[in-house]
Amino acid sequence: MLYHIYETQRSLMEPFTDFAQAAAKLFSNPMSPFSESPLAQRMSAGYELLYRLGKDYEKPAFEIHSVDVDGVGVAVHERIEMDKPFCELRRFKRFSDDPATLTKLKAQPVVLIVAPLSGHYATLLRDTVRTMLKDHKVYITDWKNARLVPLADGEFHLDDYVNYVQEFIRHLQGVYGNCHVISVCQPTVPVLAAVSLMASRGETTPLSMTMMGGPIDARKSPTAVNNLATNRSFEWFENNVIYRVPENFPGAGRRVYPGFLQYTGFVAMNPDRHASSHYDYFKDLIKGDDASVEAHRKFYDEYNAVLDMDADYYLETIQTVFQDYKLVNGTWDVRSPEGKIERVRPQDIKTTALFTVEGELDDISGSGQTEAAHDLCSGIVRKEQRHLEAKGAGHYGIFSGRRWREVVYPQVRAFILQHEQPQKKAAVPVTETPDDNPPSLAPKKVAAPKAAARTAVKAAAPVATRWVAPAGNRTKPTGAAAPAEADPVAAAKATVSAATPSRTRRSAARKA
């Protein structure tokens, strides 16, 4: 019933938000006589703020149209590679008409980025994708809003999430021979399960796994998110946060954890910071600080856009990850698409390198929660394991912003390059072989240069990185601490120009 009340309230507020938007333009347009009044700027700013607070935020676009690769502009075309009922595998295909650049792009590693299904859309990783595209062929999981998925498409469980990841990995292996996997926050758990199951069956596993800020072992350094899950019973979550989608959506009748409830929880974690950000936005409008105003809009267009999650998936995640700790206790069973029950055994992983990343100031996934993956993956030899604690970085700082680009990414890039292998032809027939070049431009031999890998590793500023020691004999990384993580809106202001690439003027003549 709460969902219906919310939608009714939103429908009633829509005319007022439209009026606020029109009034803001009325007092700011230089052609309007109202803009000449003494309080015109304040009136316009006030109405603009009301509009931003009351408007409905739709799913943002990635808007990555080009990237710079060693000084050469490369066009980027976004397309759907696979379409599942609850997720799209999205590819960012690069094009260039420069032969040398084309050859370089073709030899780069293939990376599957598994985006979180925890409230926000995959576009939250826009900066992650844009940065990775300079040195990798990038695919990402783009999860769908559950309220837009018809009931006829069935339910979505945590097991389905694990099976989706396995299917996407197999697809990339079939096209390229193998791939690397990066999981950010929530998907670290299902990704580890997916790779574990593939290893237990004797399948080829990814060349490397990079896990960033995820609750592998939520018992360590519990945060407010962890405490909420442990202090409330499974029945409480089922009775208080699960509602059915109203009739005016394609998924009418589906049981979901609504996005507006998740958004309320996000804001409740730092209400003072958000209030201050909106007041600063009001003052920037009055001052005419267009750069700061645009930075605020970009950040909150993303932050305020939330999706509904299928109830079965959400409740099973709460129980499996945050209440019963089935992964670390070795009691997690997953049902395959064929209906077979399989036990998740991370110790069976032997041929996949593991890199874990945590933020020093992470208030979502506490210290040690992601690093716990190393204890579970005991079958991976020590030299193939690495851990990084990013000094001064919060949860978002490890995959977005300056610290991601300057501290975390160089080491992720070096780790992937170190474990790259020559790409193979597709193991199974495919309708289109991505990244094909004309014979005259195709390199005769594609191999990851070991010398380049060693150079990249040394140049990656490993201030807080280290080889992972056996359990019980680990030391905290050393190095000078960086300043505390900045406010997200302030960080966005500082990087708004750098984070928005210009469109390339080159023609996209050949695929890369």
Side-chain angles (χ1 to χ4, degrees), residues 357-430:
V357 180
E358 294 180 347
E360 181 188 25
L361 307 178
D362 195 333
D363 59 351
I364 303 296
S365 294
S367 177
Q369 292 189 11
T370 312
E371 188 179 8
H374 294 283
D375 290 336
L376 298 178
C377 299
S378 57
I380 303 176
V381 296
R382 177 183 173 185
K383 68 177 183 179
E384 300 298 327
Q385 300 186 46
R386 187 175 298 164
H387 177 72
L388 168 67
E389 183 181 79
K391 295 295 184 180
H395 186 69
Y396 293 99
I398 60 176
F399 63 85
S400 181
R402 179 177 59 84
R403 287 190 177 87
W404 150 249
R405 292 189 294 269
E406 298 178 1
V407 178
V408 178
Y409 173 66
Q411 301 203 37
V412 172
R413 177 185 58 198
F415 187 78
I416 291 175
L417 182 60
Q418 182 181 8
H419 296 91
E420 175 64 349
Q421 68 182 21
Q423 295 177 16
K424 303 175 182 179
K425 293 182 179 180
V428 295
V430 290

Coordinates of all heavy atoms in Angstrom, one line a residue, residues 357-430:
V357 N 40.5 -4.6 -3.1 CA 40.7 -3.2 -2.9 C 39.7 -2.7 -1.8 O 38.5 -3.0 -1.9 CB 40.5 -2.4 -4.2 CG1 40.7 -0.9 -3.9 CG2 41.4 -2.9 -5.3
E358 N 40.2 -2.0 -0.8 CA 39.4 -1.4 0.2 C 39.7 0.1 0.4 O 40.8 0.5 0.1 CB 39.5 -2.1 1.5 CG 39.1 -3.5 1.6 CD 39.3 -4.2 2.9 OE1 40.0 -3.7 3.8 OE2 38.7 -5.3 3.1
G359 N 38.7 0.9 0.8 CA 39.0 2.3 1.1 C 39.2 2.5 2.6 O 38.4 1.9 3.4
E360 N 40.2 3.2 3.0 CA 40.5 3.4 4.4 C 39.3 4.0 5.1 O 39.1 3.6 6.3 CB 41.7 4.4 4.5 CG 42.1 4.7 5.9 CD 43.1 5.8 6.0 OE1 43.2 6.6 5.1 OE2 43.9 5.8 7.0
L361 N 38.5 4.8 4.5 CA 37.4 5.5 5.2 C 36.0 5.0 4.7 O 35.0 5.7 4.8 CB 37.5 7.0 5.0 CG 38.8 7.7 5.3 CD1 38.8 9.2 5.0 CD2 39.1 7.5 6.8
D362 N 36.0 3.8 4.2 CA 34.7 3.2 3.7 C 33.7 3.0 4.8 O 34.0 2.3 5.8 CB 35.0 1.9 3.0 CG 33.9 1.4 2.2 OD1 32.7 1.7 2.4 OD2 34.2 0.6 1.2
D363 N 32.6 3.6 4.7 CA 31.5 3.5 5.7 C 30.4 2.6 5.3 O 29.4 2.4 5.9 CB 30.9 4.8 6.1 CG 30.3 5.6 4.9 OD1 30.5 5.1 3.8 OD2 29.7 6.6 5.1
I364 N 30.6 1.9 4.1 CA 29.6 0.9 3.6 C 30.1 -0.5 3.8 O 29.4 -1.3 4.4 CB 29.3 1.1 2.1 CG1 28.8 2.6 1.9 CG2 28.3 0.1 1.6 CD1 27.5 2.9 2.5
S365 N 31.3 -0.8 3.4 CA 32.0 -2.1 3.6 C 33.2 -1.8 4.4 O 34.2 -1.2 4.0 CB 32.3 -2.7 2.3 OG 31.2 -3.1 1.5
G366 N 33.2 -2.3 5.7 CA 34.2 -2.0 6.6 C 35.5 -2.6 6.3 O 35.6 -3.5 5.5
S367 N 36.6 -2.2 7.0 CA 37.9 -2.7 6.8 C 38.0 -4.2 7.1 O 37.5 -4.7 8.1 CB 38.9 -1.9 7.8 OG 40.2 -2.4 7.7
G368 N 38.6 -4.9 6.1 CA 38.8 -6.3 6.2 C 37.7 -7.1 5.6 O 37.9 -8.3 5.4
Q369 N 36.5 -6.5 5.3 CA 35.4 -7.3 4.7 C 35.8 -7.9 3.3 O 35.4 -9.0 3.0 CB 34.2 -6.5 4.7 CG 33.6 -6.1 6.0 CD 32.2 -5.5 5.9 OE1 31.6 -5.4 4.9 NE2 31.7 -5.0 7.1
T370 N 36.4 -7.1 2.5 CA 36.8 -7.5 1.2 C 38.1 -8.4 1.2 O 38.2 -9.4 0.5 CB 37.0 -6.3 0.2 OG1 35.9 -5.4 0.3 CG2 37.1 -6.8 -1.2
E371 N 39.0 -8.0 2.0 CA 40.3 -8.7 2.2 C 40.0 -10.2 2.6 O 40.9 -11.0 2.3 CB 41.2 -8.0 3.2 CG 42.6 -8.6 3.2 CD 43.4 -7.8 4.2 OE1 42.9 -7.0 5.0 OE2 44.6 -8.1 4.3
A372 N 38.9 -10.4 3.2 CA 38.6 -11.8 3.7 C 38.5 -12.8 2.5 O 38.6 -14.0 2.8 CB 37.3 -11.8 4.4
A373 N 38.4 -12.3 1.3 CA 38.4 -13.2 0.2 C 39.7 -14.0 0.0 O 39.7 -15.2 -0.4 CB 38.1 -12.4 -1.1
H374 N 40.8 -13.5 0.5 CA 42.0 -14.2 0.4 C 42.1 -15.4 1.3 O 42.6 -16.5 0.9 CB 43.2 -13.3 0.8 CG 43.4 -12.1 -0.2 ND1 44.0 -12.3 -1.4 CD2 43.0 -10.8 -0.1 CE1 44.0 -11.1 -2.0 NE2 43.4 -10.2 -1.2
D375 N 41.5 -15.4 2.5 CA 41.4 -16.5 3.3 C 40.5 -17.6 2.7 O 40.8 -18.8 2.8 CB 40.8 -16.2 4.7 CG 41.8 -15.3 5.5 OD1 43.0 -15.4 5.2 OD2 41.3 -14.6 6.4
L376 N 39.5 -17.2 2.0 CA 38.6 -18.2 1.4 C 39.2 -18.8 0.2 O 39.0 -20.0 0.0 CB 37.2 -17.5 1.0 CG 36.4 -16.9 2.2 CD1 35.2 -16.2 1.6 CD2 36.0 -17.9 3.2
C377 N 39.9 -18.1 -0.6 CA 40.5 -18.6 -1.8 C 41.9 -19.2 -1.5 O 42.9 -18.7 -2.1 CB 40.6 -17.5 -2.9 SG 39.0 -16.8 -3.3
S378 N 42.0 -20.2 -0.7 CA 43.2 -20.8 -0.3 C 43.9 -21.6 -1.4 O 45.1 -21.9 -1.3 CB 43.0 -21.7 0.9 OG 42.0 -22.7 0.6
G379 N 43.2 -21.9 -2.4 CA 43.8 -22.6 -3.5 C 44.6 -21.7 -4.5 O 45.4 -22.3 -5.3
I380 N 44.5 -20.4 -4.4 CA 45.3 -19.5 -5.2 C 46.7 -19.3 -4.5 O 46.8 -19.0 -3.4 CB 44.6 -18.1 -5.3 CG1 43.2 -18.3 -5.9 CG2 45.4 -17.2 -6.2 CD1 42.4 -17.1 -6.0
V381 N 47.7 -19.5 -5.3 CA 49.1 -19.4 -4.7 C 49.3 -17.9 -4.3 O 48.7 -17.0 -4.8 CB 50.1 -19.8 -5.7 CG1 50.0 -21.3 -6.1 CG2 50.0 -18.9 -7.0
R382 N 50.2 -17.8 -3.3 CA 50.4 -16.5 -2.6 C 50.8 -15.4 -3.6 O 50.3 -14.3 -3.5 CB 51.4 -16.7 -1.5 CG 51.8 -15.4 -0.8 CD 52.9 -15.6 0.2 NE 53.3 -14.3 0.8 CZ 54.3 -14.2 1.6 NH1 55.0 -15.3 2.0 NH2 54.7 -13.1 2.1
K383 N 51.6 -15.7 -4.5 CA 52.1 -14.7 -5.5 C 51.1 -14.2 -6.4 O 51.3 -13.1 -7.0 CB 53.3 -15.2 -6.3 CG 53.0 -16.3 -7.3 CD 54.2 -16.7 -8.1 CE 53.8 -17.8 -9.1 NZ 55.0 -18.2 -9.9
E384 N 49.9 -14.9 -6.5 CA 48.8 -14.4 -7.4 C 47.8 -13.7 -6.6 O 46.7 -13.4 -7.1 CB 48.2 -15.6 -8.0 CG 49.2 -16.4 -8.9 CD 49.7 -15.6 -10.1 OE1 49.0 -14.7 -10.6 OE2 50.9 -15.8 -10.5
Q385 N 48.1 -13.3 -5.3 CA 47.1 -12.6 -4.5 C 47.7 -11.2 -4.1 O 48.9 -11.1 -3.8 CB 46.8 -13.4 -3.2 CG 46.2 -14.7 -3.5 CD 45.7 -15.4 -2.2 OE1 45.1 -14.8 -1.3 NE2 46.1 -16.7 -2.1
R386 N 46.9 -10.2 -4.1 CA 47.3 -8.9 -3.7 C 46.2 -8.1 -3.1 O 45.0 -8.3 -3.4 CB 47.9 -8.1 -4.9 CG 48.5 -6.8 -4.6 CD 49.1 -6.1 -5.8 NE 50.2 -7.0 -6.3 CZ 50.7 -6.9 -7.5 NH1 50.2 -6.0 -8.3 NH2 51.7 -7.7 -7.9
H387 N 46.5 -7.2 -2.1 CA 45.5 -6.4 -1.5 C 46.0 -4.9 -1.4 O 47.2 -4.6 -1.3 CB 45.3 -6.9 0.0 CG 44.3 -6.0 0.7 ND1 42.9 -6.0 0.5 CD2 44.5 -5.1 1.7 CE1 42.3 -5.2 1.3 NE2 43.2 -4.6 2.1
L388 N 45.0 -4.0 -1.6 CA 45.3 -2.6 -1.6 C 44.3 -1.9 -0.7 O 43.1 -2.1 -0.8 CB 45.2 -2.0 -3.0 CG 45.2 -0.5 -3.1 CD1 46.5 0.1 -2.7 CD2 44.8 0.0 -4.5
E389 N 44.8 -1.1 0.2 CA 44.0 -0.2 1.0 C 44.3 1.2 0.6 O 45.4 1.8 0.7 CB 44.3 -0.3 2.5 CG 43.4 0.6 3.4 CD 43.7 0.5 4.9 OE1 44.6 1.1 5.3 OE2 43.0 -0.3 5.6
A390 N 43.3 1.9 0.0 CA 43.4 3.2 -0.6 C 43.3 4.2 0.5 O 42.2 4.4 1.1 CB 42.4 3.5 -1.7
K391 N 44.4 4.9 0.9 CA 44.5 5.8 1.9 C 43.6 7.0 1.6 O 43.6 7.6 0.5 CB 45.9 6.3 2.2 CG 46.8 5.2 2.7 CD 46.4 4.8 4.1 CE 47.5 3.7 4.6 NZ 47.1 3.3 5.9
G392 N 42.8 7.4 2.6 CA 41.9 8.6 2.5 C 40.7 8.4 1.6 O 39.9 9.4 1.4
A393 N 40.5 7.2 1.1 CA 39.3 7.0 0.2 C 38.1 6.4 0.9 O 38.3 5.5 1.8 CB 39.7 6.0 -0.9
G394 N 37.0 6.9 0.6 CA 35.7 6.4 1.1 C 35.2 5.3 0.2 O 35.9 4.8 -0.7
H395 N 33.9 4.9 0.3 CA 33.4 3.9 -0.5 C 33.4 4.2 -2.0 O 33.8 3.4 -2.8 CB 32.0 3.5 0.0 CG 31.4 2.4 -0.7 ND1 31.8 1.1 -0.5 CD2 30.4 2.2 -1.6 CE1 31.1 0.2 -1.2 NE2 30.2 0.9 -1.9
Y396 N 32.9 5.4 -2.3 CA 32.9 5.8 -3.7 C 34.2 6.2 -4.2 O 34.5 6.1 -5.5 CB 31.9 7.0 -3.9 CG 30.5 6.7 -3.6 CD1 29.9 6.9 -2.4 CD2 29.7 6.0 -4.6 CE1 28.6 6.6 -2.1 CE2 28.4 5.7 -4.3 CZ 27.8 6.0 -3.1 OH 26.5 5.6 -2.8
G397 N 35.2 6.6 -3.4 CA 36.5 7.0 -3.8 C 37.3 5.9 -4.4 O 38.3 6.2 -5.2
I398 N 37.0 4.6 -4.1 CA 37.8 3.5 -4.7 C 37.4 3.2 -6.1 O 38.2 2.4 -6.8 CB 37.7 2.3 -3.8 CG1 36.3 1.7 -3.7 CG2 38.3 2.5 -2.4 CD1 36.2 0.5 -2.9
F399 N 36.3 3.7 -6.6 CA 35.9 3.4 -8.0 C 35.5 4.6 -8.8 O 35.1 4.5 -10.0 CB 34.8 2.3 -8.1 CG 33.5 2.8 -7.5 CD1 32.6 3.5 -8.2 CD2 33.2 2.4 -6.2 CE1 31.4 3.9 -7.6 CE2 32.0 2.7 -5.6 CZ 31.1 3.5 -6.3
S400 N 35.6 5.8 -8.2 CA 35.2 7.0 -8.9 C 35.9 8.2 -8.3 O 36.1 8.3 -7.1 CB 33.7 7.2 -8.7 OG 33.3 8.4 -9.4
G401 N 36.3 9.1 -9.1 CA 37.0 10.3 -8.7 C 38.5 10.3 -8.7 O 39.1 9.4 -9.3
R402 N 39.1 11.2 -8.1 CA 40.6 11.4 -8.2 C 41.4 10.2 -7.7 O 42.3 9.8 -8.3 CB 41.0 12.7 -7.5 CG 42.5 13.0 -7.6 CD 42.9 14.3 -6.9 NE 42.4 14.3 -5.5 CZ 43.1 13.8 -4.5 NH1 44.3 13.3 -4.7 NH2 42.7 13.9 -3.3
R403 N 41.0 9.7 -6.5 CA 41.7 8.6 -5.9 C 41.6 7.3 -6.7 O 42.5 6.5 -6.8 CB 41.3 8.4 -4.5 CG 41.8 9.5 -3.5 CD 41.6 9.1 -2.1 NE 42.1 10.2 -1.2 CZ 41.5 11.3 -0.8 NH1 40.3 11.5 -1.3 NH2 42.1 12.1 -0.1
W404 N 40.4 7.1 -7.3 CA 40.3 6.0 -8.2 C 41.2 6.1 -9.4 O 42.0 5.2 -9.7 CB 38.8 5.9 -8.7 CG 38.7 5.3 -10.1 CD1 38.3 5.9 -11.2 CD2 38.9 3.9 -10.4 NE1 38.3 5.0 -12.3 CE2 38.7 3.8 -11.8 CE3 39.4 2.8 -9.8 CZ2 38.8 2.6 -12.5 CZ3 39.5 1.6 -10.5 CH2 39.2 1.5 -11.8
R405 N 41.3 7.3 -10.0 CA 42.1 7.5 -11.2 C 43.6 7.5 -11.0 O 44.4 7.0 -11.7 CB 41.7 8.7 -12.0 CG 40.3 8.7 -12.6 CD 40.0 9.9 -13.4 NE 40.0 11.1 -12.7 CZ 38.9 11.7 -12.1 NH1 37.7 11.0 -12.3 NH2 38.9 12.8 -11.5
E406 N 44.0 8.1 -9.8 CA 45.4 8.3 -9.6 C 46.0 7.2 -8.7 O 47.2 7.0 -8.7 CB 45.6 9.6 -8.9 CG 45.2 10.8 -9.8 CD 45.4 12.2 -9.2 OE1 45.9 12.2 -8.0 OE2 45.0 13.2 -9.8
V407 N 45.2 6.6 -7.8 CA 45.8 5.6 -6.8 C 45.4 4.2 -7.2 O 46.2 3.3 -7.3 CB 45.4 6.0 -5.4 CG1 45.9 4.9 -4.4 CG2 45.9 7.4 -5.0
V408 N 44.1 4.0 -7.3 CA 43.6 2.6 -7.5 C 43.7 2.1 -8.9 O 44.3 1.0 -9.1 CB 42.1 2.5 -7.0 CG1 41.5 1.1 -7.2 CG2 41.9 3.0 -5.6
Y409 N 43.3 2.8 -9.9 CA 43.3 2.3 -11.2 C 44.7 1.9 -11.7 O 44.8 0.9 -12.4 CB 42.7 3.3 -12.2 CG 42.8 2.9 -13.6 CD1 42.2 1.8 -14.1 CD2 43.7 3.6 -14.5 CE1 42.3 1.4 -15.4 CE2 43.8 3.2 -15.8 CZ 43.1 2.1 -16.3 OH 43.3 1.7 -17.6
P410 N 45.8 2.7 -11.5 CA 47.1 2.3 -12.0 C 47.5 0.9 -11.5 O 48.1 0.1 -12.3 CB 48.0 3.3 -11.4 CG 47.2 4.6 -11.3 CD 45.8 4.0 -10.9
Q411 N 47.1 0.5 -10.3 CA 47.4 -0.8 -9.8 C 46.5 -1.9 -10.3 O 46.9 -3.0 -10.5 CB 47.4 -0.8 -8.3 CG 48.4 0.3 -7.7 CD 48.8 0.0 -6.3 OE1 49.0 -1.1 -5.9 NE2 49.0 1.1 -5.5
V412 N 45.2 -1.5 -10.5 CA 44.3 -2.5 -11.2 C 44.8 -2.8 -12.6 O 44.8 -4.0 -13.0 CB 42.9 -1.9 -11.1 CG1 41.9 -2.8 -12.0 CG2 42.3 -1.8 -9.7
R413 N 45.1 -1.7 -13.3 CA 45.6 -1.9 -14.7 C 46.9 -2.8 -14.7 O 47.0 -3.7 -15.6 CB 45.9 -0.5 -15.3 CG 46.5 -0.6 -16.7 CD 46.9 0.8 -17.1 NE 47.8 1.4 -16.2 CZ 48.1 2.7 -16.2 NH1 47.4 3.6 -16.9 NH2 48.9 3.2 -15.3
A414 N 47.8 -2.5 -13.8 CA 49.1 -3.3 -13.8 C 48.8 -4.8 -13.4 O 49.4 -5.7 -14.0 CB 50.0 -2.7 -12.8
F415 N 47.9 -5.0 -12.5 CA 47.5 -6.4 -12.1 C 46.9 -7.1 -13.2 O 47.3 -8.3 -13.5 CB 46.6 -6.3 -10.9 CG 46.3 -7.7 -10.3 CD1 47.3 -8.3 -9.4 CD2 45.1 -8.3 -10.5 CE1 47.0 -9.5 -8.8 CE2 44.9 -9.6 -10.0 CZ 45.8 -10.2 -9.1
I416 N 46.0 -6.5 -14.0 CA 45.4 -7.2 -15.1 C 46.4 -7.5 -16.2 O 46.5 -8.6 -16.8 CB 44.2 -6.3 -15.6 CG1 43.1 -6.3 -14.6 CG2 43.7 -6.8 -17.0 CD1 41.9 -5.3 -15.0
L417 N 47.3 -6.5 -16.5 CA 48.3 -6.7 -17.5 C 49.2 -7.8 -17.2 O 49.7 -8.6 -18.0 CB 49.0 -5.4 -17.8 CG 50.1 -5.4 -18.9 CD1 49.5 -5.7 -20.2 CD2 50.8 -4.0 -18.9
Q418 N 49.6 -7.9 -15.9 CA 50.5 -8.9 -15.4 C 49.9 -10.3 -15.6 O 50.7 -11.2 -15.8 CB 50.8 -8.7 -13.9 CG 51.8 -9.6 -13.3 CD 52.0 -9.4 -11.9 OE1 51.3 -8.6 -11.3 NE2 53.0 -10.0 -11.3
H419 N 48.6 -10.4 -15.6 CA 48.0 -11.7 -15.7 C 47.3 -11.9 -17.0 O 46.4 -12.8 -17.2 CB 47.0 -12.0 -14.6 CG 47.7 -12.0 -13.2 ND1 47.9 -10.9 -12.4 CD2 48.3 -13.0 -12.5 CE1 48.5 -11.2 -11.3 NE2 48.8 -12.5 -11.4
E420 N 47.6 -11.1 -18.0 CA 47.0 -11.2 -19.3 C 47.7 -12.3 -20.1 O 48.9 -12.6 -19.9 CB 47.0 -9.9 -20.1 CG 46.6 -9.9 -21.5 CD 45.1 -10.2 -21.7 OE1 44.4 -10.6 -20.7 OE2 44.6 -10.1 -22.8
Q421 N 47.0 -12.9 -21.0 CA 47.6 -13.9 -21.9 C 47.1 -13.7 -23.3 O 46.1 -12.9 -23.5 CB 47.1 -15.3 -21.4 CG 45.6 -15.6 -21.7 CD 45.2 -17.0 -21.2 OE1 45.9 -17.6 -20.4 NE2 44.1 -17.5 -21.7
P422 N 47.8 -14.2 -24.3 CA 47.4 -13.9 -25.7 C 45.9 -14.3 -25.9 O 45.5 -15.4 -25.4 CB 48.3 -14.8 -26.5 CG 49.5 -15.0 -25.6 CD 49.0 -15.0 -24.2
Q423 N 45.2 -13.5 -26.6 CA 43.8 -13.8 -26.9 C 43.7 -14.9 -27.9 O 44.4 -14.9 -28.9 CB 43.1 -12.5 -27.3 CG 43.0 -11.5 -26.2 CD 42.3 -10.2 -26.7 OE1 41.7 -10.2 -27.8 NE2 42.5 -9.1 -26.0
K424 N 42.7 -15.7 -27.7 CA 42.4 -16.8 -28.6 C 41.2 -16.6 -29.5 O 40.4 -15.7 -29.2 CB 42.3 -18.1 -27.8 CG 43.4 -18.5 -26.9 CD 43.1 -19.7 -26.1 CE 44.3 -20.0 -25.1 NZ 43.9 -21.2 -24.3
K425 N 41.1 -17.3 -30.5 CA 39.9 -17.2 -31.3 C 38.7 -17.8 -30.6 O 38.8 -18.6 -29.6 CB 40.1 -18.0 -32.6 CG 41.1 -17.4 -33.6 CD 41.2 -18.1 -34.9 CE 42.2 -17.5 -35.8 NZ 42.3 -18.2 -37.1
A426 N 37.5 -17.5 -31.0 CA 36.3 -17.9 -30.3 C 36.2 -19.4 -30.3 O 36.5 -20.1 -31.2 CB 35.0 -17.4 -31.0
A427 N 35.9 -19.9 -29.1 CA 35.8 -21.4 -28.9 C 34.5 -21.9 -29.5 O 34.4 -23.1 -29.8 CB 35.9 -21.7 -27.4
V428 N 33.5 -21.1 -29.6 CA 32.3 -21.5 -30.2 C 31.9 -20.5 -31.3 O 32.3 -19.3 -31.3 CB 31.1 -21.6 -29.1 CG1 31.4 -22.6 -28.1 CG2 31.0 -20.2 -28.4
P429 N 31.1 -20.9 -32.3 CA 30.7 -19.9 -33.3 C 29.9 -18.8 -32.8 O 29.1 -19.0 -31.9 CB 29.8 -20.8 -34.3 CG 30.2 -22.2 -34.0 CD 30.6 -22.3 -32.5
V430 N 30.2 -17.6 -33.2 CA 29.4 -16.4 -32.8 C 28.9 -15.7 -34.1 O 29.6 -15.8 -35.1 CB 30.3 -15.5 -32.0 CG1 30.5 -16.1 -30.6 CG2 31.6 -15.1 -32.7

